[in-house]
Amino acid sequence: MVWAQGTRRALRRHALDLSLAAACLVSVLVMSAPAAFAREDAHEAERAEALALQVAAMQNATRPFGTLPDSPKPAWKRRMVVPVSAYNSDPWQTDDTPFVTASGTHVRDGIVAANFLPIGTKVKIPQLFGDKEFIVEDRMNARYGQAMDVWMESRDEARKLGRRRAMIEVY
């Protein structure tokens, strides 16, 4: 009899513990249900976005060639800031052939001298000359490693330009 009473008390205690555990479990499930629905909605939105991307890819594959937009990349390969000055064909500013460039061409408007770029490279100096395009066809004295000289016809123009640091765009 005593044993049965102790067992009943233990069972009641365990039943109470079990009912408390069940109540906690139910409250956790009730509280987490909205979060579960939110996660399901997020998964559904991801699935819809992936499906929209697949449809767009299929539509793009069926478009005729030539209808894609232009590339947003700039035309220039790199930009750099260098000292820019001017020179003309005065014999004291050049070597013994003042009207012939290092590449063998005759000097003309649009020619620049630079040691750090290959001959034939196209450059723009938008800060000083806007959209005008120059071609590297001449070289400078070896002590001017990272500098650029613009050929100008008159000495007054060259003096007016002076020596300035300017952004160049290399093409």
Side-chain angles (χ1 to χ4, degrees), residues 17-97:
D17 288 346
L18 286 174
S19 64
L20 283 174
C24 288
L25 182 63
V26 168
S27 67
V28 164
L29 290 175
V30 168
M31 296 295 236
S32 66
F37 288 130
R39 280 195 302 272
E40 188 174 312
D41 289 344
H43 288 301
E44 191 64 34
E46 288 175 7
R47 283 189 214 115
E49 185 178 340
L51 182 62
L53 286 173
Q54 288 174 347
V55 169
M58 287 188 297
Q59 288 173 344
N60 193 28
T62 60
R63 285 189 184 137
F65 290 110
T67 59
L68 296 176
D70 290 336
S71 172
K73 291 183 180 179
W76 45 268
K77 292 179 185 172
R78 64 182 167 160
R79 284 181 164 175
M80 56 181 40
V81 177
V82 297
V84 176
S85 56
Y87 75 106
N88 50 16
S89 294
D90 286 344
W92 65 274
Q93 292 184 24
T94 61
D95 59 7
D96 57 346
T97 55

Side-chain angles (χ1 to χ4, degrees), residues 6-170:
T7 305
R8 279 190 219 138
R9 277 189 213 139
L11 287 176
R12 275 190 223 136
R13 202 172 341 141
H14 288 301
L16 181 63
D17 288 346
L18 286 174
S19 64
L20 283 174
C24 288
L25 182 63
V26 168
S27 67
V28 164
L29 290 175
V30 168
M31 296 295 236
S32 66
F37 288 130
R39 280 195 302 272
E40 188 174 312
D41 289 344
H43 288 301
E44 191 64 34
E46 288 175 7
R47 283 189 214 115
E49 185 178 340
L51 182 62
L53 286 173
Q54 288 174 347
V55 169
M58 287 188 297
Q59 288 173 344
N60 193 28
T62 60
R63 285 189 184 137
F65 290 110
T67 59
L68 296 176
D70 290 336
S71 172
K73 291 183 180 179
W76 45 268
K77 292 179 185 172
R78 64 182 167 160
R79 284 181 164 175
M80 56 181 40
V81 177
V82 297
V84 176
S85 56
Y87 75 106
N88 50 16
S89 294
D90 286 344
W92 65 274
Q93 292 184 24
T94 61
D95 59 7
D96 57 346
T97 55
F99 293 100
V100 179
T101 65
S103 64
T105 62
H106 198 279
V107 291
R108 63 191 179 282
D109 188 34
I111 298 293
V112 293
N115 294 341
F116 65 98
L117 295 171
I119 288 183
T121 304
K122 294 181 180 179
V123 296
K124 286 186 182 178
I125 312 170
Q127 192 175 345
L128 301 175
F129 297 98
D131 237 9
K132 185 175 181 179
E133 194 171 272
F134 297 92
I135 300 174
V136 177
E137 289 191 18
D138 211 352
R139 295 292 184 210
M140 299 172 67
N141 190 307
R143 69 176 176 251
Y144 300 112
Q146 288 277 15
M148 184 172 284
D149 259 356
V150 178
W151 184 84
M152 294 187 172
E153 194 168 348
S154 74
R155 185 186 301 176
D156 292 335
E157 283 182 79
R159 284 182 184 242
K160 186 177 176 183
L161 179 66
R163 186 169 180 89
R164 304 178 190 180
R165 291 185 61 78
M167 174 79 67
I168 64 166
E169 296 174 351
V170 181

